[in-house]
Amino acid sequence: MEKCCNQCRHSPATPCKDYVNCRVEGPICHDDQKCKEKRREFLKHIVTEPGAERKKVVLCGGLNCGSAGAFSLADVFRDEIEKQGLGDLTTVVLSGCRGFCEQGPSVIIEPDRTFYRWVTREDIPEIVSVHLKEGGVVERLLYQDPQTGLLCRTCDDIPFYQRQMKVVLKHCGFIDPEDISEYIAVGGYRALAQAVNDMKPDGVLEEIKKSGLRGRGGAGFPTGKKWDTARRVPADKRYVICNADEGDPGAFMDRAVLEGNPHSVLEGMLLCAYVVGSDEGYIYVRAEYPLAVRRLRIAIEQAERYGLLGTDILGSGMNFNIKINEGAGAFVCGESTALMSSIEGNRGIPRIKVPRSTEKGLFGKPTVLNNVETFANVPKIVVNGGGWFASVGTERSKGTKIFALSGKVQNTGLVEVPMGITLRDLIFGIGGGIKGGGKFKALQIGGPSGGSLPEDMLDLPIDYESLTGAGAMMGSGSIVVMDDENCMVNMARFFLNFTERESCGKCTPCREGTTRMLEILERITTGNGNLNDIPLLEYLGGVVKTTAFCGLGTSAPNPVLTTLSYFRNEYLRHIRDRRCPAGECLALRQFIIMTDKCSGCGACAFVCPAKAISGEKKKPHQIDLDACIRCGRCYEICKKYKAIKRR
């Protein structure tokens, strides 16, 4: 990133319009073979070519792999590489999340993209010796396809990755997010250079409109239309805000992008600022994302150091600065007006949206607010054209979407798929089906404000309109998969409990409505419900949905209303039979030992905190139902032998 020689005069104070292209193709302003060779040698350390002697060890440094021990493995790799005399030929970097969290900590060896999973520090000497030194493969650490039994050598061979289409996540997990040169080496900041040097703001806006990009934060509002509105409002100042306040339980798409490729978000914001004429931006990110915040600060500092943020960017006369605002974690601050109120130093509560934020937003000025994934799509659109982006997806939902898969699915993690893919392909094709051989029951899509969809809707294509029509919503993109051991009434209670606690309390329908609905659900799940509760839930849900002040309130009843639509019989079983069909509701479940399967090992009696299980060794045991506190510890410890039934 530094000057190749004294002939290069680029700096933030003396910007050069060719700076970005010069880093990968230069020098452009003069012809010097030594400078060209220096540039090629520099790039070899970042992008390893096929067949090259130089290797690159890329450790997944996402939070999930990191919490499984990946953070400490980088130094172990470096020490072992030095010990085996390969220090001059091998680079070790810590990347962002590459999505396959179930297999972490994972390591990719470039340039052949060999994928090793569940790597521990004890495996590292063997990887260095067998792979890096001798050119072999450590087969025991390769991923094995559970469907075919075949070993997958590279990440491109793994079905989890094969069926995805990565646009935003393309470089996450493959580049060092703390090094701006790695982002530039793979084409980063080319869109910015192209825009400010060769395109007018109108031209950039046309490409965004042509692409059909819709906001990925949940509402799906057309991005080009939003930008166009903001730039048309007469004002002496405009703001650009990136909403990184990702609060849905189970969602970590934005965090992964910020941790894995923060410069793509900065570049998207810069392009937006260029279109609308803004010189100041904010990234509102929750403080619970310390790694994302740290990498964002590093990215901003590096972009400023090399003249890609600040004044007279690339000699274009454009000025733009970005500030980070750390939120305190309130779910309601994901709502745009509450978020702006929080940035202004006030309590984060929604305000009326007339006029719209694009007309009167932050500090009373026209403001464009998009989320992380939306901004990260923009550089790709500018480089490849709006038509390229619009060629992917459905008629009204273009491009790709990132989802966080969690729950009872084999391959938990982060996936990016084209719009229009069916839920079945996502859950069974990419997700690998239901974990533990259970039977699929439902999925909750769209976070706590989303909806639950049953098995007969698995062939529904994923786009904004079809999900809304089914009573669910795209939301930010979290998907929780459930099997036949999950109770849908209890699930609705869980999500409503979340939104009830996170309600800001400003409007009565949300504050009181969600509280009353939660009380009813708690009655039902403890065996105290009555048949009048069902129409009452539907009535209250309808009132909250139509009269609450903000999007959080209007969508809060969704889990209840969709489970009443698709799983009504489960509510009736709880009320009429005082039974939980899935055996999940604590007050309604029972545990019974199957005497024909019990070997009398005594493990269940050992873990029972109530001493409710008795029996002679090597003979079937019994449970005293009066003494049983229904904690389920016996069931969990006997799950492998299935001698204890939950009902």
Side-chain angles (χ1 to χ4, degrees):
M1 295 298 295
E2 306 301 334
K3 297 177 180 179
C4 56
C5 67
N6 287 334
Q7 295 180 78
C8 175
R9 299 184 183 281
H10 172 80
S11 74
T14 56
C16 172
K17 70 183 183 63
D18 293 322
Y19 174 70
V20 173
N21 291 337
C22 194
R23 296 309 94 185
V24 290
E25 298 170 2
I28 292 176
C29 63
H30 58 282
D31 187 15
D32 189 316
Q33 285 303 317
K34 286 185 179 177
C35 291
K36 288 181 180 176
E37 186 57 35
K38 192 186 291 184
R39 189 67 59 211
R40 281 196 287 267
E41 189 62 28
F42 169 72
L43 290 173
K44 278 182 185 175
H45 288 75
I46 299 173
V47 181
T48 51
E49 299 294 335
E53 189 180 9
R54 171 164 287 281
K55 300 286 190 294
K56 187 175 179 182
V57 177
V58 188
L59 282 121
C60 180
L63 202 57
N64 298 335
C65 278
S67 61
F71 292 143
S72 64
L73 296 184
D75 287 339
V76 181
F77 256 112
R78 291 188 184 103
D79 292 344
E80 188 63 32
I81 286 167
E82 286 295 330
K83 185 179 168 184
Q84 298 198 32
L86 300 172
D88 293 337
L89 294 172
T90 312
T91 309
V92 179
V93 300
L94 207 56
S95 72
C97 178
R98 58 176 64 105
F100 210 178
C101 305
E102 187 75 22
Q103 306 296 316
S106 64
V107 174
I108 285 179
I109 311 288
E110 296 280 21
D112 54 4
R113 295 167 73 88
T114 303
F115 181 91
Y116 291 124
R117 63 173 181 167
W118 299 335
V119 176
T120 65
R121 57 176 55 222
E122 288 75 23
D123 300 321
I124 291 176
E126 187 179 356
I127 294 174
V128 175
S129 172
V130 174
H131 192 125
L132 299 179
K133 201 167 188 178
E134 300 171 8
V137 176
V138 184
E139 290 194 356
R140 66 181 181 82
L141 294 176
L142 296 177
Y143 176 79
Q144 185 175 26
D145 185 350
Q147 303 294 329
T148 63
L150 297 175
L151 291 177
C152 302
R153 172 163 177 162
T154 73
C155 49
D156 303 316
D157 300 328
I158 298 173
F160 177 79
Y161 289 117
Q162 276 181 336
R163 295 170 181 172
Q164 295 188 49
M165 181 177 181
K166 296 208 173 193
V167 175
V168 172
L169 296 179
K170 183 176 181 181
H171 300 301
C172 286
F174 294 92
I175 62 171
D176 181 354
E178 298 185 11
D179 186 350
I180 190 174
S181 62
E182 295 227 356
Y183 180 62
I184 288 181
V186 296
Y189 288 111
R190 289 279 187 97
L192 175 67
Q194 181 180 323
V196 299
N197 289 330
D198 306 325
M199 301 171 73
K200 299 289 184 187
D202 285 343
V204 178
L205 180 61
E206 278 309 305
E207 293 301 325
I208 300 299
K209 284 182 174 178
K210 193 191 299 179
S211 73
L213 175 66
R214 297 170 67 173
R216 297 302 197 244
F221 192 82
T223 303
K225 187 175 179 182
K226 179 183 284 189
W227 293 14
D228 196 17
T229 305
R231 72 196 293 263
R232 288 176 183 276
V233 177
D236 57 351
K237 189 174 182 70
R238 297 177 181 82
Y239 290 99
V240 174
I241 298 178
C242 176
N243 183 354
D245 193 60
E246 187 175 49
D248 294 5
F252 57 100
M253 296 76 66
D254 290 352
R255 173 170 63 77
V257 175
L258 293 176
E259 291 176 357
N261 197 358
H263 285 286
S264 65
V265 182
L266 302 188
E267 190 177 7
M269 292 179 69
L270 276 158
L271 289 162
C272 175
Y274 180 63
V275 170
V276 303
S278 169
D279 64 355
E280 189 172 353
Y282 286 84
I283 299 176
Y284 190 92
V285 56
R286 48 184 47 217
E288 296 101 312
Y289 285 0
L291 183 60
V293 172
R294 186 170 74 84
R295 288 180 173 168
L296 269 175
R297 291 194 190 285
I298 292 171
I300 291 172
E301 187 274 327
Q302 290 178 341
E304 289 174 341
R305 190 195 316 162
Y306 296 112
L308 298 168
L309 270 178
T311 57
D312 196 16
I313 295 168
L314 298 178
S316 64
M318 173 188 173
N319 304 326
F320 190 62
N321 291 289
I322 295 177
K323 298 173 182 173
I324 295 175
N325 195 306
E326 293 184 53
F331 183 63
V332 73
C333 283
E335 199 275 343
S336 60
T337 58
L339 184 153
M340 290 182 216
S341 183
S342 179
I343 291 177
E344 291 168 351
N346 302 314
R347 183 184 167 199
I349 55 174
R351 60 189 182 213
I352 195 162
K353 284 189 176 178
V354 179
R356 291 274 177 186
S357 301
T358 47
E359 299 163 353
K360 192 175 181 182
L362 186 66
F363 301 118
K365 302 295 182 182
T367 302
V368 171
L369 184 144
N370 286 121
N371 83 331
V372 170
E373 188 180 345
T374 310
F375 279 126
N377 267 302
V378 172
K380 301 280 187 183
I381 293 171
V382 173
V383 167
N384 298 307
W388 161 80
F389 190 84
S391 67
V392 179
T394 64
E395 184 179 351
R396 298 182 64 186
S397 299
K398 305 295 186 184
T400 61
K401 178 75 187 82
I402 304 174
F403 292 96
L405 273 180
S406 62
K408 303 286 185 65
V409 65
Q410 289 279 2
N411 302 329
T412 56
L414 213 60
V415 300
E416 184 174 4
V417 293
M419 291 282 195
I421 189 174
T422 65
L423 291 167
R424 188 183 300 280
D425 287 340
L426 186 60
I427 305 300
F428 290 91
I430 297 173
I434 306 304
K435 184 180 285 186
K439 185 177 184 306
F440 175 87
K441 186 178 198 176
L443 62 85
Q444 170 79 9
I445 184 167
S449 303
S452 295
L453 303 179
E455 185 175 11
D456 60 8
M457 301 190 83
L458 276 174
D459 292 316
L460 193 73
I462 298 175
D463 62 32
Y464 292 98
E465 282 68 32
S466 61
L467 290 176
T468 303
M473 59 189 285
M474 186 80 76
S476 57
S478 69
I479 294 181
V480 182
V481 179
M482 290 163 276
D483 67 5
D484 50 5
E485 289 195 342
N486 291 116
C487 170
M488 301 311 294
V489 186
N490 196 41
M491 187 280 302
R493 185 198 61 79
F494 171 81
F495 283 118
L496 194 68
N497 183 50
F498 176 84
T499 47
E500 189 265 347
R501 281 189 292 111
E502 292 290 339
S503 171
C504 72
K506 178 174 181 174
C507 72
T508 304
C510 178
R511 184 184 66 243
E512 297 298 328
T514 55
T515 302
R516 300 288 88 80
M517 290 176 73
L518 181 60
E519 289 171 353
I520 295 170
L521 289 173
E522 287 177 341
R523 279 208 306 268
I524 295 174
T525 53
T526 53
N528 297 307
N530 62 70
L531 289 174
N532 291 329
D533 285 336
I534 292 181
L536 186 54
L537 272 175
E538 291 174 322
Y539 171 74
L540 286 173
V543 170
V544 175
K545 201 171 175 59
T546 53
T547 60
F549 188 79
C550 75
L552 171 63
T554 57
S555 58
N558 282 348
V560 181
L561 297 177
T562 52
T563 49
L564 280 169
S565 294
Y566 301 124
F567 302 94
R568 197 179 194 88
N569 192 47
E570 288 202 26
Y571 282 84
L572 293 173
R573 293 286 301 276
H574 280 72
I575 294 170
R576 285 176 179 164
D577 306 337
R578 310 296 182 204
R579 288 277 308 279
C580 172
E584 192 179 52
C585 293
L586 191 66
L588 301 178
R589 67 184 183 183
Q590 283 185 344
F591 295 95
I592 296 173
I593 294 178
M594 314 294 286
T595 53
D596 57 328
K597 293 183 178 177
C598 179
S599 64
C601 69
C604 54
F606 181 76
V607 299
C608 178
K611 303 301 178 191
I613 301 177
S614 59
E616 294 182 30
K617 200 166 185 178
K618 297 188 178 178
K619 290 187 177 179
H621 284 39
Q622 306 85 37
I623 298 177
D624 180 351
L625 295 180
D626 292 330
C628 177
I629 59 173
R630 306 182 182 94
C631 66
R633 294 181 68 180
C634 57
Y635 177 76
E636 292 299 325
I637 202 165
C638 194
K639 221 166 187 178
K640 181 178 177 183
Y641 303 102
K642 298 180 179 177
I644 297 181
K645 186 177 180 181
R646 188 177 76 176
R647 66 178 190 181

